[in-house]
Amino acid sequence: MEPQFLLAKAKDEELAKKGECGGAVSALFKYLLDQQLVDGVLTLTRGEDVYDGIPTLVENSEEIVETCGSLHCAPTMFGDLISKHLNDIRLAVSVKPCDAMAIKELEKRHQINPDAIYKIGLNCGGTVMPITARKMIEMFYDVDPAEVVAEEIDKGKFIIELADGTHKSVEIDELEEKGFGRRNNCQRCELKIPRNADLACGNWGAEPGWTFIEVVTEKGKTLVENARKNGYIDVKTPSEKAIAIREKIENVMIKLARKFQDKYLEEDYPAPENWDEYWNRCIKCYACRDVCPICFCKECDLEKDFYTDEDEIAPDPLTFQGVRLSHMCFSCVNCGQCEDVCPMEIPLARIFHRMQKKYRDDTGFIAGVSEELPPLYSPEKE
Amino acid sequence: MLKVAHTICPSCSVGCGVNLIIKDQKAVGTYPYKRHPINQGKNCKKGRDSYQILNENRLKDPLLRKGGLEQVNWEYALETAASQLKSYENREIGIIASGDCTNEEYETLKKFATTLGVENIGYNAKNIPTFNFKTAPLDDVENSDFILIIGDILKENPLLGRRVILAKEGGAEIIAADYPEKTLTGINSDEYIQIESTSSFLDNINRNVLENPQQLSTVIISGLSGEEFENSLKFFQDSHVKLLPVMEECNSRGAMNLLPALSEDELKDLLEKVKILYVVGDDPASYMEESLKNIEFLITQNFLVNETVLMSDVVLPGSCWAEKTGSFTNTAGETQNFEKIVEPPGNAIDDVTIIRELAEKMGLEL
Ligand SMILES: Cc1cc2nc3c(=O)[nH]c(=O)nc-3n(C[C@H](O)[C@H](O)[C@H](O)COP(=O)(O)OP(=O)(O)OC[C@H]3O[C@@H](n4cnc5c(N)ncnc54)[C@H](O)[C@@H]3O)c2cc1C
Ligand code: SF4
Ligand code: SF4
Ligand code: SF4
Ligand code: SF4
């Protein structure tokens, strides 16, 4: 369908106040639960502090208010959580573009039922690893990370808010130059607006107190219309100027991401001898495979006796990572999870993202976005 | 219906954080806990599989030997255990714990023994003797300029291994020493020394490397026990290096703070002296079945069925770590609290409660 732009705001005052922008996302969730259109909503709640995002399934609409707000230091992944544990209910979920990409790939592989899920997309400028965030707040902001009550990313700055209301900000460029800031894969990520979800919600182009929504699917359109009719949200049309501003920021972000792709995947890509060093460390813990939302094969080839040979100190990279590469690299959505969880600090996402990018350049297949399966996909894996 | 909850990994002494995925009150998986300062969401295979501990071989009811082991109610099981304990002299009573109970359990057990006047108490220290000095924090490992490692840290304690890798990436020099020809830690170090004995290795160590005050030097000791361990400690203790001994179980360090550390020989000695034994968490039958034969009456408290349970006269079903609130102290001496996430199965209950109720039945005031 033709994309449609609108500004939305929760009618419920508390949701509007506690929401990141206009609380529209939360209001939509509340509507879906109240009308029993879904059995549960999968979102993120704040745990001990702003660096601690905990996936939470909300079944009672009164609890939605506790999940309001964006957590930029919570690089979570919802794809496999849904395919493995929430496949038996009708679900609505807040998704960053990488969550939406993973879900899309899983839908194509019949691991998630597209008819049973509402994907409420959040635009995403990137996420920061929690411990990295804490360290950089100490170093660059000269603030005790425990004193931060809220954080946001705006106009190229990572901004923190303290209990007394003061704000402090540092340019993300500066942080990233020094090895802090967003995760490397986020720096390379060029899907900033999740047009692979039902709605794409964000602050770009929004007025204060409103959420900018790009309606992507018919399902999303119906949802917004009905939520409005039933008194859950107020809706208005954004100005042409706002739409243009949003588009401009998106383009700047995509350009920046491409620059980072060149940097991480070409210029600074580890040399073969660096990879040898990395593979030497691999402890064959399978964390990278298990966390990858695209790797879902129930009987993984990697568990055949050959690979779990105890005597071998480090697995031969060509066999171990090679199996994974040959099975799924075309579909890598660059979510960065494999790298995040690797106990041995191996920059895994770089390999997979690089391969998908090459494949994409050759075939036009964009993982997590294209409707079809990658041309080399073998369906016996399902 | 679905819940993701923070906990501490019970599978080794590093003390990583891990999230449990609970579906319909059952642990079905783990989820990265990226906010945790020790491991930042990274876990080894053992850690990611830790949820399975909650589902395997669980004891669900108190058992009493009547020929075979039979299910009984709590009242009866505790009554029997209490009256048996009371029928022996204090010096005939032995109590042994394992290195994976909570600090709160050690405290309660210690009080229990003190109140009862029992001196034959301790925990299975897996041959690591008690020590008392400030150990290196994990962040110091990462910030070291020089690290000497005895043992295969990368393989056995991967999330401590990660700190070594980070130190190396930061330019640290890494030397590893161990018995095998080749180890994972060895192939990732600047130098690997295959040793025949720790004493000859220590004799040949160039102390100058370790005593350079300009640099932060850390020595990680794992896989050593008894005399070897003590000798290494002595060797490094009065140098300026920071030491980090790696214990085996998730709370051996906590146990050490509260109970006597008993080696296998000391445990055997204890068994020679006593007639009735109360085992909390440990599985002595797996390493000293012979010695257990001297025991007239065996009371076992555990969350799972093991060899000792099968030999016992009374079995008290306790809880798995995620079914209770408590704390573990990791190998670097950091104490971390964790919360109860799920209910224990069947009639199993919290271990501190079991010890308290047993005391109450004996007329003891803890
Ligand atoms: C990491 C991140 C980066 C973002 N970057 C941009 C950006 O660059 N430009 C832009 O226009 N918009 C961005 N957004 C979107 C924006 O911050 C708001 O989430 C969006 O406008 C919706 O506002 P709201 O008031 O309607 O949301 P709310 O009503 O507050 O609801 C937000 C929902 O998102 C969930 N959530 C919070 N954090 C996460 C997370 N990390 N992963 C998944 N779900 C989460 C919450 O649980 C809640 O359900 C980002 C959001 C996130 C989470
Ligand atoms: S990979 Fe992309 S969508 Fe995912 S968190 Fe990073 S920037 Fe956001
Ligand atoms: S390979 Fe890594 S980055 Fe790519 S989809 Fe899998 S987990 Fe995400
Ligand atoms: S997560 Fe890292 S260490 Fe574990 S198997 Fe994958 S590459 Fe190897
Ligand atoms: S290193 Fe130890 S504490 Fe950490 S995940 Fe592995 S077993 Fe658990």
Side-chain angles (χ1 to χ4, degrees):
Chain A
M1 63 170 261
E2 263 304 285
Q4 212 183 45
F5 303 110
L6 42 92
L7 294 174
K9 179 195 197 97
K11 278 220 166 176
D12 180 306
E13 269 173 36
E14 214 188 343
L15 292 184
K17 192 171 138 250
K18 290 204 168 162
E20 181 75 13
C21 302
V25 170
S26 300
L28 293 171
F29 285 152
K30 190 165 180 340
Y31 163 75
L32 286 166
L33 281 172
D34 282 346
Q35 302 295 314
Q36 293 174 9
L37 292 166
V38 296
D39 305 307
V41 171
L42 181 62
T43 58
L44 218 52
T45 43
R46 180 175 152 166
E48 68 183 281
D49 52 29
V50 297
Y51 318 97
D52 189 20
I54 308 175
T56 307
L57 183 75
V58 180
E59 289 165 287
N60 174 351
S61 77
E62 271 160 35
E63 288 163 17
I64 281 293
V65 62
E66 285 148 38
T67 75
C68 280
S70 300
L71 293 168
H72 300 94
C73 306
T76 45
M77 167 48 66
F78 285 156
D80 55 334
L81 206 53
I82 300 170
S83 64
K84 286 189 192 131
H85 306 294
L86 292 169
N87 232 342
D88 47 351
I89 62 167
R90 293 170 309 152
L91 188 73
V93 55
S94 60
V95 287
K96 300 182 296 303
C98 56
D99 292 309
M101 289 194 270
I103 291 170
K104 183 109 190 174
E105 288 302 309
L106 288 163
E107 284 174 352
K108 288 191 261 178
R109 288 163 174 78
H110 309 293
Q111 303 300 306
I112 291 179
N113 175 5
D115 297 329
I117 186 168
Y118 281 91
K119 290 166 282 185
I120 313 301
L122 310 175
N123 298 353
C124 184
T127 46
V128 185
M129 284 295 261
I131 304 300
T132 309
R134 289 175 61 90
K135 272 194 198 145
M136 78 191 192
I137 286 167
E138 253 182 316
M139 288 172 62
F140 296 86
Y141 298 70
D142 202 15
V143 165
D144 173 0
E147 279 167 20
V148 176
V149 295
E151 41 67 49
E152 66 173 319
I153 296 181
D154 194 29
K155 301 200 177 68
K157 292 195 176 102
F158 185 82
I159 307 160
I160 57 171
E161 188 186 326
L162 308 180
D164 62 5
T166 49
H167 288 74
K168 284 195 167 191
S169 65
V170 175
E171 297 276 342
I172 289 186
D173 279 355
E174 188 193 333
L175 296 168
E176 287 174 1
E177 242 165 58
K178 307 227 165 84
F180 292 85
R182 300 168 300 161
R183 299 180 300 158
N184 286 347
N185 65 297
C186 292
Q187 299 176 22
R188 300 193 300 266
C189 175
E190 53 178 290
L191 190 61
K192 297 287 142 191
I193 297 181
R195 298 191 178 90
N196 50 353
D198 294 308
L199 302 170
C201 309
N203 56 285
W204 291 343
E207 296 165 19
W210 292 80
T211 307
F212 190 111
I213 302 183
E214 177 171 342
V215 181
V216 188
T217 63
E218 287 295 342
K219 192 171 174 176
K221 187 174 169 194
T222 314
L223 169 62
V224 172
E225 270 168 19
N226 290 340
R228 184 188 58 80
K229 273 190 218 145
N230 284 278
Y232 282 81
I233 48 172
D234 276 329
V235 172
K236 64 179 188 182
T237 317
S239 67
E240 287 300 323
K241 195 174 153 215
I243 297 171
I245 289 176
R246 175 174 176 270
E247 194 182 300
K248 202 171 144 203
I249 309 176
E250 184 191 9
N251 287 332
V252 170
M253 291 296 286
I254 292 174
K255 236 187 181 156
L256 186 65
R258 299 226 165 108
K259 225 175 75 194
F260 278 119
Q261 289 174 8
D262 290 342
K263 173 172 145 75
Y264 287 116
L265 306 180
E266 301 302 333
E267 291 149 30
D268 295 351
Y269 193 70
E273 60 270 24
N274 298 122
W275 282 117
D276 288 345
E277 214 171 286
Y278 285 133
W279 299 132
N280 256 343
R281 305 174 185 170
C282 172
I283 54 170
K284 275 196 283 190
C285 67
Y286 303 118
C288 50
R289 174 198 66 183
D290 291 350
V291 82
C292 176
I294 312 299
C295 271
F296 69 86
C297 309
K298 290 196 178 68
E299 281 165 55
C300 179
D301 279 2
L302 297 177
E303 252 153 48
K304 285 181 186 154
D305 298 345
F306 176 70
Y307 298 105
T308 39
D309 181 5
E310 267 289 316
D311 295 336
E312 209 183 328
I313 288 183
D316 177 357
L318 288 178
T319 47
F320 175 65
Q321 294 295 342
V323 170
R324 224 163 82 72
L325 264 176
S326 69
H327 279 179
M328 55 66 60
C329 70
F330 322 108
S331 306
C332 169
V333 297
N334 184 38
C335 65
Q337 295 298 324
C338 49
E339 197 166 311
D340 284 358
V341 302
C342 175
M344 290 297 130
E345 303 283 343
I346 303 175
L348 293 157
R350 287 215 209 172
I351 317 167
F352 290 87
H353 188 204
R354 188 169 185 256
M355 295 286 270
Q356 143 59 215
K357 199 173 161 266
K358 288 215 151 82
Y359 188 70
R360 169 184 179 164
D361 292 344
D362 289 349
T363 63
F365 172 78
I366 308 176
V369 175
S370 298
E371 288 301 328
E372 69 283 7
L373 277 164
L376 287 177
Y377 179 71
S378 65
E380 87 256 19
K381 293 271 155 212
E382 274 165 20
Chain B
M1 172 214 150
L2 187 94
K3 182 164 81 169
V4 175
H6 293 339
T7 189
I8 302 299
C9 174
S11 299
C12 91
S13 63
V14 178
C16 298
V18 64
N19 283 325
L20 286 180
I21 305 175
I22 309 291
K23 189 171 181 185
D24 301 326
Q25 284 299 311
K26 188 179 179 248
V28 293
T30 53
Y31 192 85
Y33 181 177
K34 294 184 181 173
R35 166 69 180 82
H36 200 276
I38 288 182
N39 59 311
Q40 304 183 18
K42 300 159 188 280
N43 294 97
C44 70
K45 178 122 176 52
K46 257 191 309 188
R48 282 180 299 116
D49 286 345
S50 60
Y51 75 96
Q52 291 169 357
I53 301 172
L54 288 150
N55 304 328
E56 282 166 3
N57 292 325
R58 296 301 303 271
L59 276 166
K60 296 181 183 149
D61 290 284
L63 306 172
L64 189 68
R65 183 161 302 280
K66 300 177 177 170
L69 281 172
E70 281 177 30
Q71 278 183 24
V72 292
N73 62 29
W74 271 107
E75 180 66 24
Y76 193 20
L78 288 167
E79 219 30 275
T80 313
S83 65
Q84 284 290 339
L85 282 165
K86 276 200 288 189
S87 70
Y88 286 87
E89 302 272 328
N90 299 345
R91 59 179 167 77
E92 294 170 329
I93 302 175
I95 301 175
I96 55 177
S98 63
D100 48 19
C101 305
T102 66
N103 289 321
E104 294 67 23
E105 284 155 22
Y106 296 133
E107 273 163 29
T108 318
L109 210 52
K110 187 177 177 177
K111 252 189 245 161
F112 179 86
T114 321
T115 318
L116 193 58
V118 168
E119 281 173 5
N120 293 311
I121 180 172
Y123 73 100
N124 175 5
K126 305 266 165 132
N127 298 331
I128 297 195
T130 302
F131 57 83
N132 184 15
F133 57 88
K134 207 172 165 297
T135 47
L138 295 176
D139 284 347
D140 274 6
V141 175
E142 185 173 334
N143 295 325
S144 290
D145 303 298
F146 175 84
I147 305 177
L148 171 67
I149 307 163
I150 303 176
D152 200 353
I153 289 299
L154 259 64
K155 181 159 180 263
E156 303 300 336
N157 308 89
L159 275 300
L160 173 55
R162 167 174 169 260
R163 301 299 184 118
V164 174
I165 292 290
L166 289 171
K168 193 174 179 219
E169 288 189 340
E173 185 189 351
I174 318 287
I175 296 184
D178 208 343
Y179 292 101
E181 197 188 332
K182 201 171 158 187
T183 69
L184 187 62
T185 307
I187 61 171
N188 284 288
S189 301
D190 296 298
E191 193 184 336
Y192 177 64
I193 303 167
Q194 186 182 8
I195 55 176
E196 267 160 26
S197 77
T198 38
S199 54
S200 65
F201 166 65
L202 293 175
D203 285 345
N204 287 321
I205 265 193
N206 176 357
R207 283 196 79 114
N208 297 340
V209 184
L210 295 169
E211 305 227 337
N212 176 356
Q214 304 302 318
Q215 57 177 22
L216 174 56
S217 304
T218 311
V219 175
I220 303 175
I221 303 174
S222 98
L224 296 186
S225 59
E227 215 175 302
E228 278 191 313
F229 183 83
E230 285 190 321
N231 287 341
S232 321
L233 285 197
K234 267 193 220 123
F235 184 85
F236 296 112
Q237 223 163 356
D238 36 55
S239 73
H240 102 133
V241 303
K242 300 221 173 180
L243 266 180
L244 182 61
V246 183
M247 325 273 283
E248 202 167 305
E249 287 170 301
C250 61
N251 202 22
S252 306
R253 184 86 195 256
M256 182 184 288
N257 295 336
L258 292 156
L259 299 178
L262 300 179
S263 66
E264 205 171 307
D265 286 341
E266 288 165 329
L267 285 160
K268 282 184 183 150
D269 288 348
L270 184 146
L271 257 56
E272 302 265 305
K273 285 190 261 176
V274 304
K275 295 196 175 134
I276 182 166
L277 185 68
Y278 177 21
V279 179
V280 181
D282 199 32
D283 187 13
S286 66
Y287 58 90
M288 51 173 186
E289 198 181 343
E290 265 317 299
S291 311
L292 271 181
K293 295 204 172 121
N294 305 329
I295 299 297
E296 289 170 11
F297 198 85
L298 179 60
I299 305 164
T300 302
Q301 176 175 328
N302 210 318
F303 63 85
L304 51 69
V305 183
N306 60 23
E307 288 175 50
T308 310
V309 162
L310 297 176
M311 289 175 68
S312 301
D313 299 294
V314 176
V315 179
L316 308 171
S319 302
C320 218
W321 96 105
E323 295 156 359
K324 54 198 179 193
T325 293
S327 64
F328 291 149
T329 304
N330 77 357
T331 206
E334 209 176 313
T335 298
Q336 306 188 89
N337 296 320
F338 53 87
E339 300 284 324
K340 173 172 174 173
I341 300 171
V342 276
E343 288 297 330
N347 290 311
I349 58 172
D350 172 80
D351 291 83
V352 168
T353 310
I354 301 177
I355 306 168
R356 285 184 182 285
E357 292 200 349
L358 183 60
E360 205 184 299
K361 285 266 180 301
M362 294 178 68
L364 302 173
E365 198 131 345
L366 293 197

